[in-house]
Amino acid sequence: METIEYMGKTFSVDEDGFIDDFNNWCPEWEQWVKTVEGIEEINDEHRKLVTVLRDYYEKNGIAPMVRILSKVTGFKLKHIYELYPSGPGKGACKMAGLPKPTGCV
Amino acid sequence: MAFISSGYNPKKPMENRITDIGPRKYDEFYPPVIAKNKGKWLYHEILEPGILVHVGESGDKVYTIRVGGCRFMSVTHLREINEIADKYCDGYLRFTTRNNIEFMTDKEENVKPMKEDLLSRKFAGGSYKFPIGGTGAGVTNIVHTQGWIHCHTPATDASGTVKATMDVLFDQFTDMKLPAKLRVSMACCLNMCGAVHCSDIAILGYHRKPPMIDHEYIDKMCEIPLAIAACPTAAIKPTKIEIEGKELKTVSVKEEKCMFCGNCYTMCPSMPLADDVGDGIVLMAGGKISNRRDAPKFSKVVVAFIPNEQPRWPTMTATIKRMIEAYSKDANKYERLGQWAERIGWERFFEKCELEFTHHLIDDFRDPAYYTWRQTTNFKF
């Protein structure tokens, strides 16, 4: 595993840049992901997605389906892509510190 | 090589970004004779194995030479294909749904020199670059998957098994002497990417051992409920384990319920199950997708296990050859392999193909298994 040092913190990441452990997430991680995911500035809408994802994962042990994410946040998929150009999986889940999406992706 | 920019600016990834333009429209690449006669074809003939002629209402003719493709090919090879198309077909060519290559021309005088040219081209190792065939009642290209070249869930290799099989069946590719066409497909795990579930003969990668569980990492890398829900036999359940004094969330696999499908590994990287001696090949037979004479059929498992014998898989290719020879000798004209097996009865199929019938072949998956058993006294000794 590769380690990244950013803003005084050290993170272990896999080859796709996902964090090694949900519990190692911290606000500095958000700032680091911002630099690699083509996000200019983290605003309240970005934070809302991250909060929803982290709450859902903590409660259910899985990332929400895209439709659940849309319904809970009130953001249409198009808007989620505007916030996170790489999309809800590669962008938002990465910033929220969730495990990498699996399956035939 | 040093970095050479394409003009993309990583600082501003969304600037000048072009999206949702889709593929190029197919008719941009029509040869003129195809564009002119589109929707107005009268009939076609197979002149010889691999060579077709289509005749339009206007009297226009288009000759098609079909050549085998290895599907996994280099840019050098594609450039050579282009060079041939430039030389004989005004730069036009197409690929078929079974990954063969078709060169089309309206000039009859081009057919013979093109054929000679194609057959004269060989790789340094001696194999044909562009073998002509794949038409009519023969064996055409094998639809296959990624295997050990690129995928992370395979139980066998794709390109290797396919090359070994096509070498054995090469005579059927360049000839049209079978009772009907015979489709061979290959998938390297039971995700069955491609056409194995509906082919006359199918090669399928298969595991025989349950997954190993990486307890230390599973909760960090996986969404555990997804791994549990991925199991078709409900062999996985959540549990807790103590490692170095710390209680960790993990799963347990009930091994007597596991049938080694590998779905849990697809969902969860901490449950790998590939194994060098455990893994191997299942052969299936009798599927088809056309509606000709009777409805489409699924292929059925006829050989429960053949070990991986890379690089040439001799047991597997010999078994396939034996099935095709028995079918070729015994089936009626126009009869697909599955239609033949159902007409003579599967007990005769096993006898004629000299295949061993084992308990593995008897369906035991949920209620529908019952319908595959024989509820009649109609059978042959």
Side-chain angles (χ1 to χ4, degrees), chain B residues 247-275:
Chain B
E247 198 180 58
L248 297 173
K249 281 192 234 170
T250 181
V251 297
S252 69
V253 175
K254 202 166 197 183
E255 298 201 350
E256 60 274 27
K257 278 177 113 181
C258 179
M259 57 177 183
F260 332 119
C261 69
N263 279 356
C264 52
Y265 178 58
T266 303
M267 296 315 292
C268 176
S270 301
M271 302 178 77
L273 77 164
D275 185 274

Side-chain angles (χ1 to χ4, degrees), chain B residues 12-270:
Chain B
K12 291 190 168 161
M14 303 303 278
E15 196 178 72
N16 298 326
R17 180 166 169 263
I18 299 165
T19 65
D20 302 318
I21 54 170
R24 297 280 294 274
K25 197 174 177 216
Y26 47 87
D27 62 8
E28 287 175 49
F29 308 98
Y30 277 162
V33 62
I34 302 278
K36 186 184 158 206
N37 292 285
K38 187 187 176 188
K40 288 176 268 184
W41 299 105
L42 276 183
Y43 64 93
H44 73 275
E45 276 177 70
I46 302 176
L47 299 174
E48 55 182 282
I51 304 186
L52 305 144
V53 60
H54 286 73
V55 183
E57 286 168 6
S58 61
D60 284 353
K61 286 182 178 179
V62 58
Y63 296 87
T64 305
I65 301 194
R66 183 178 298 169
V67 301
C70 48
R71 202 186 79 119
F72 185 74
M73 46 180 74
S74 66
V75 176
T76 313
H77 194 65
L78 290 172
R79 290 210 171 108
E80 187 165 344
I81 294 169
N82 288 349
E83 178 222 310
I84 296 165
D86 282 337
K87 202 163 161 190
Y88 301 102
C89 312
D90 305 316
Y92 294 97
L93 70 104
R94 67 185 287 267
F95 282 75
T96 69
T97 54
R98 294 189 83 87
N99 305 301
N100 288 313
I101 305 141
E102 286 188 347
F103 297 104
M104 286 163 294
T105 177
D106 51 348
K107 300 183 195 74
E108 192 176 1
E109 67 274 15
N110 271 1
V111 173
K112 203 164 165 275
M114 176 158 41
K115 184 182 157 190
E116 279 161 12
D117 188 358
L118 287 166
L119 292 179
S120 73
R121 291 173 192 246
K122 291 188 174 183
F123 288 105
S127 50
Y128 283 108
K129 280 182 177 169
F130 305 107
I132 297 174
T135 53
V139 174
T140 182
N141 212 349
I142 300 182
V143 166
H144 68 278
T145 55
Q146 303 188 31
W148 295 329
I149 281 177
H150 194 75
C151 190
H152 70 297
T153 63
T156 186
D157 188 33
S159 301
T161 51
V162 164
K163 167 72 174 155
T165 310
M166 277 317 279
D167 279 351
V168 170
L169 303 181
F170 189 70
D171 291 346
Q172 272 86 23
F173 180 79
T174 55
D175 221 332
M176 307 191 293
K177 288 184 178 154
L178 292 177
K181 61 179 161 196
L182 193 128
R183 297 295 189 230
V184 186
S185 300
M186 193 281 152
C188 44
C189 80
L190 40 168
N191 222 0
M192 295 195 177
C193 301
V196 283
H197 65 298
C198 56
S199 296
D200 294 288
I201 291 180
I203 306 163
L204 183 63
Y206 181 64
H207 302 286
R208 289 187 303 171
K209 294 187 180 178
M212 297 163 270
I213 304 169
D214 216 341
H215 295 292
E216 203 180 329
Y217 295 102
I218 189 163
D219 187 37
K220 296 175 181 172
M221 299 184 76
C222 308
E223 302 169 49
I224 287 174
L226 296 188
I228 295 162
C231 186
T233 56
I236 305 176
K237 61 178 184 188
T239 181
K240 290 200 166 88
I241 196 170
E242 206 177 285
I243 292 179
E244 291 169 7
K246 271 199 292 186
E247 198 180 58
L248 297 173
K249 281 192 234 170
T250 181
V251 297
S252 69
V253 175
K254 202 166 197 183
E255 298 201 350
E256 60 274 27
K257 278 177 113 181
C258 179
M259 57 177 183
F260 332 119
C261 69
N263 279 356
C264 52
Y265 178 58
T266 303
M267 296 315 292
C268 176
S270 301

Side-chain angles (χ1 to χ4, degrees), chain A residues 18-58:
Chain A
F18 279 80
I19 199 163
D20 63 337
D21 190 343
F22 181 75
N23 299 315
N24 292 346
W25 178 91
C26 59
E28 288 82 2
W29 171 255
E30 280 186 357
Q31 297 299 323
W32 160 252
V33 172
K34 184 187 91 173
T35 64
V36 291
E37 286 300 321
I39 297 161
E40 290 201 359
E41 206 48 61
I42 299 181
N43 60 30
D44 290 348
E45 293 189 327
H46 289 103
R47 291 227 168 75
K48 186 172 178 187
L49 272 167
V50 167
T51 316
V52 167
L53 284 170
R54 285 190 67 83
D55 288 351
Y56 193 95
Y57 186 83
E58 222 153 38

Side-chain angles (χ1 to χ4, degrees), chain B residues 219-372:
Chain B
D219 187 37
K220 296 175 181 172
M221 299 184 76
C222 308
E223 302 169 49
I224 287 174
L226 296 188
I228 295 162
C231 186
T233 56
I236 305 176
K237 61 178 184 188
T239 181
K240 290 200 166 88
I241 196 170
E242 206 177 285
I243 292 179
E244 291 169 7
K246 271 199 292 186
E247 198 180 58
L248 297 173
K249 281 192 234 170
T250 181
V251 297
S252 69
V253 175
K254 202 166 197 183
E255 298 201 350
E256 60 274 27
K257 278 177 113 181
C258 179
M259 57 177 183
F260 332 119
C261 69
N263 279 356
C264 52
Y265 178 58
T266 303
M267 296 315 292
C268 176
S270 301
M271 302 178 77
L273 77 164
D275 185 274
D276 58 348
V277 290
D279 295 355
I281 280 164
V282 164
L283 290 182
M284 299 164 54
K288 72 184 192 80
I289 49 172
S290 79
N291 261 311
R292 195 185 40 56
R293 286 192 14 186
D294 57 6
K297 297 178 206 300
F298 281 128
S299 32
K300 294 178 171 48
V301 178
V302 293
V303 180
F305 186 75
I306 295 171
N308 275 329
E309 300 164 317
Q310 55 271 29
R312 299 297 294 174
W313 281 271
T315 315
M316 178 196 78
T317 52
T319 314
I320 292 174
K321 199 173 164 68
R322 209 160 63 231
M323 287 201 283
I324 293 183
E325 272 168 5
Y327 158 73
S328 160
K329 212 166 68 190
D330 202 61
N332 294 333
K333 196 161 167 57
Y334 303 126
E335 205 167 40
R336 294 287 291 267
L337 192 136
Q339 296 172 318
W340 167 65
E342 283 180 10
R343 175 173 60 83
I344 62 174
W346 283 95
E347 65 268 32
R348 278 284 182 278
F349 171 87
F350 279 88
E351 200 179 292
K352 284 183 193 286
C353 296
E354 296 162 47
L355 299 173
E356 192 194 352
F357 188 92
T358 60
H359 71 276
H360 301 287
L361 309 183
I362 302 169
D363 195 348
D364 57 357
F365 189 64
R366 301 192 176 172
D367 294 355
Y370 176 77
Y371 299 103
T372 66

